[in-house]
Amino acid sequence: MNKAQAREAILHHLREYCDSFLEGGHNAGANRQYNCPFCGSGEGPNHSGALTISNNNPVQFHCFSCGKSGNIFTLIKAVEHLDNYANQFRRACELFHITDDTGEVAAADFKDEYLSPEDRPAGKSAQASTQKNPEADYTDFYKMAADHLENTDYHRGISLETLRRFNVGYVSKWKHPKTASNSKVPYSSRLIIPTSKESYIARQTDKTGNPKYWKQKVGPVHIFNSSTLQKPGSPVYITEGEIDAMTLEDNGARAVAIGSTAMINRFIEYLRGHPPAVPLIILMDNDEPGQTAAMALDEQLFTIGVEHYSVKPEDFYNVAELETDFKDCNEFLEAGAAEPLRAAIARTTKKVNDIHDRHYEAEKLLYMEASAAGRLQNFIDGINGSVNTPPTETGYHRLDQLLEGGLYEGLYIIGAVSSLGKTTFTMQMADQIAASGRDVLILSLEMSANELISKSISRITLTRGLRTGADSRLYKTSRGITVGSRWKKYDTAQKNYIFDCMAEYGETCANHIFIKEGVGNIGVTEARKAVADHHKYTGNYPVLIVDYLQALAGQDPRETDKARVDGNVLELKRISRDYKIPVFCISSFNRQNYTEAVNMAAFKESGMIEYSSDVLIGLQLKGAGSKNFDMEDEKDKDPREIELLILKNRQGEAGKRAFVEFKYFPKFNYFEEV
């Protein structure tokens, strides 16, 4: 992103910055209030709070005590003594992991004209120089500070051995490295905790001055002791502060510190690129921000698939003789609870290890079952079981022969140009399957249930007449059945004939036809639920029919048509696999294929149709693609001559010889095999 975009992103981190660096954060109606770092006031007029951020303007603050207003850069300047805007900008980018298009810190876009004179490279003018500010290297400073560690007794109950292991040091006179040379900020004594060669934490040891500055960060944020995450061994605790992490390390645990609750996203990004080798245990501070952060961390670790466990503070600090509530494990230690702390670590670590071991054994068993040897018995059982679960016959006898008996578990997709009878062909097949006693669940995204039923009854008026020799005037179109005004013109014989056809529909197949209309955005999630509900209420797994693929809603409203169809095809395939059912889906064709012979390229939007389907079927007018083919002439025929071609068949015949000829009676919604 460019500087303007980075600045805009930084401004919206105001509340997050205040939660991390200001005291007294609490909600007051629609506002968020804090102690003011400018006047030190925690209460404003009428005790309504001092420094306030309104939900209506989340990028600005106002102190009702001293009247100070500003944005996040105003606060960074005051809290971290960074007078130079470029340094404020860089600090914000480091805190909130804001980068440019190359992945570098966005502040690196700043050229020397944005820097104060003391920050510019020597010998270069503001206009000519474009050198970036290099990161500081505090290695020598750490060595000097470590040599003076024993000059302070501010060890927070942590052994010198552990402090030295983490290269902790002490300086008696410290100012922030970026404090202006003419600043009147006083020196203070500090414990120096390195987090990387270019960053450290400076903790004030004498507790004088403004408490806001007792702990200050120098350099870009780094996860403290992050290298332990990639080492095998015991689980690693996640804490907020570096002192807490060292407290746990000093008492037999392994731990990292993320620095503050504002750094959760940065920590998660680190884990994406550096997956931990062991389970993680969340042990954040025992206060409202800490526990809110613990819940957020738990959710995000789950999202990225990292094994982790959360510890409730009341369970961890469970010592009856110590009545005080402890904010963190270092407070627990300094209260004289070293033995209870070690016991809590041992108890929690053992519990997590036991759960991890059980999960590992269960996952190992599942993995071994995925081997060919592990699956062999299921393979044999499946063959034996299939004796009692024959394929589902479509009722089109020649098609069943080509499909080696009918429909099996898998994804079947049928396509054709508009108005060629895709839905009619499929609904007739559904009725024929239902007549054999198997349930059919139809997800109709275009036609209503009444329209589909009228097609079936219209077809029966024709087939019943052909079978019984009834007068052709009794044959009825779908509209001839559903439009009430036409019934006024029918004589008794016509009405009774329609009623007989309705009764035949009810007796032969209606009990096994289930139609779910596409009201609203219906997608593959609803399709899966419909199958599950059908089994829940009937005890049967149905043949699923989807009419039609391109009308299925996507799972992301922003995705392209191709991405939507690709995703839906894959999920329909998974539904067929998970429920072991045939899924029969209708698809549209591209316009350029209206006069060409049917082929795989004709299927709209997605190559995934070709790749993921088990059987791919095309319908076309007879002779499509030939030199003298005239689509309008062919459509004028009654009945029309239709060819069904199997373009792909994973388990059977496909290609030029795999076709079936039909006579199609569009008025009466009927396909007759030739």
Side-chain angles (χ1 to χ4, degrees), residues 416-422 594 621 635 640 642 664 666:
V417 299
S418 179
S419 302
L420 205 64
K422 301 183 295 294
Y594 276 29
L621 290 164
K635 288 178 73 172
R640 296 175 188 165
I642 302 292
Y664 172 37

Side-chain angles (χ1 to χ4, degrees), residues 112 129 189 217 237 239 247 303 357 376 381 468 475-476 593:
D112 293 334
S129 173
S189 59
K217 296 179 173 66
Y237 288 78
T239 67
T247 297
T303 300
D357 290 345
L376 185 57
D381 292 343
T468 63
Y475 306 165
K476 301 300 178 188
N593 289 90

Side-chain angles (χ1 to χ4, degrees), residues 29-100:
N31 301 327
R32 182 79 173 165
Q33 297 177 332
Y34 307 86
N35 294 354
C36 178
F38 300 97
C39 65
S41 174
E43 296 183 355
N46 304 318
H47 303 282
S48 61
L51 190 145
T52 302
I53 302 173
S54 167
N55 279 351
N56 294 328
N57 186 11
V59 299
Q60 291 284 322
F61 70 83
H62 176 75
C63 177
F64 287 97
S65 181
C66 65
K68 185 72 173 180
S69 297
N71 58 26
I72 189 171
F73 296 105
T74 314
L75 283 178
I76 293 175
K77 177 179 179 180
V79 172
E80 304 192 52
H81 309 294
L82 300 178
D83 293 330
N84 182 278
Y85 176 74
N87 292 337
Q88 296 163 14
F89 192 97
R90 173 177 287 278
R91 174 61 171 155
C93 290
E94 292 167 347
L95 280 174
F96 305 113
H97 196 47
I98 295 172
T99 60
D100 61 22

Side-chain angles (χ1 to χ4, degrees), residues 98-115:
I98 295 172
T99 60
D100 61 22
D101 294 334
T102 69
E104 297 294 327
V105 173
D109 284 342
F110 275 93
K111 305 205 170 38
D112 293 334
E113 61 263 30
Y114 295 95
L115 305 180

Side-chain angles (χ1 to χ4, degrees), residues 339-545:
E339 286 303 319
L341 175 61
R342 284 190 281 272
I345 290 171
R347 181 178 66 248
T348 304
T349 302
K350 182 180 184 305
K351 181 179 179 181
V352 168
N353 279 333
D354 289 345
I355 296 172
H356 170 73
D357 290 345
R358 289 197 297 271
H359 284 178
Y360 173 80
E361 290 302 323
E363 290 171 352
K364 179 181 177 181
L365 181 62
L366 286 173
Y367 185 81
M368 298 308 293
E369 286 179 353
S371 70
R375 294 180 183 274
L376 185 57
Q377 188 57 52
N378 284 339
F379 177 75
I380 295 170
D381 292 343
I383 294 173
N384 293 333
S386 68
V387 173
N388 299 316
T389 55
T392 299
E393 295 181 357
T394 66
Y396 297 121
H397 302 300
R398 170 63 179 151
L399 177 60
D400 287 337
Q401 289 174 357
L402 293 174
L403 297 177
E404 295 194 348
L407 304 180
Y408 296 82
E409 168 193 336
L411 177 60
Y412 297 75
I413 297 182
I414 185 170
V417 299
S418 179
S419 302
L420 205 64
K422 301 183 295 294
T423 299
T424 298
F425 177 89
T426 305
M427 278 304 302
Q428 182 174 330
M429 181 186 73
D431 289 350
Q432 289 163 178
I433 292 172
S436 71
R438 177 153 191 186
D439 289 357
V440 180
L441 173 61
I442 301 167
L443 189 61
S444 180
L445 304 174
E446 190 173 44
M447 292 188 176
S448 69
N450 284 343
E451 287 178 294
L452 296 181
I453 291 171
S454 70
K455 278 178 169 288
S456 296
I457 296 171
S458 171
R459 181 191 332 111
I460 293 173
T461 66
L462 174 64
T463 57
R464 183 184 181 89
L466 295 176
R467 189 174 67 247
T468 63
D471 191 331
S472 60
R473 73 185 185 90
L474 300 177
Y475 306 165
K476 301 300 178 188
T477 63
S478 294
R479 290 192 182 279
I481 295 168
T482 58
V483 177
S485 60
R486 298 193 183 185
W487 281 69
K488 295 178 181 179
K489 301 176 183 179
Y490 295 158
D491 58 30
T492 301
Q494 289 174 304
K495 293 177 182 178
N496 287 339
Y497 186 77
I498 297 173
F499 286 133
D500 288 342
C501 293
M502 291 179 179
E504 181 177 329
Y505 175 68
E507 292 166 2
T508 57
C509 60
N511 286 334
H512 295 285
I513 294 286
F514 297 81
I515 303 171
K516 181 177 178 60
E517 295 178 328
V519 179
N521 286 331
I522 301 295
V524 286
T525 301
E526 290 75 18
R528 178 178 286 275
K529 184 178 185 301
V531 174
D533 287 346
H534 186 90
H535 180 258
K536 176 181 177 181
Y537 297 122
T538 69
N540 301 321
Y541 286 113
V543 174
L544 175 64
I545 292 176

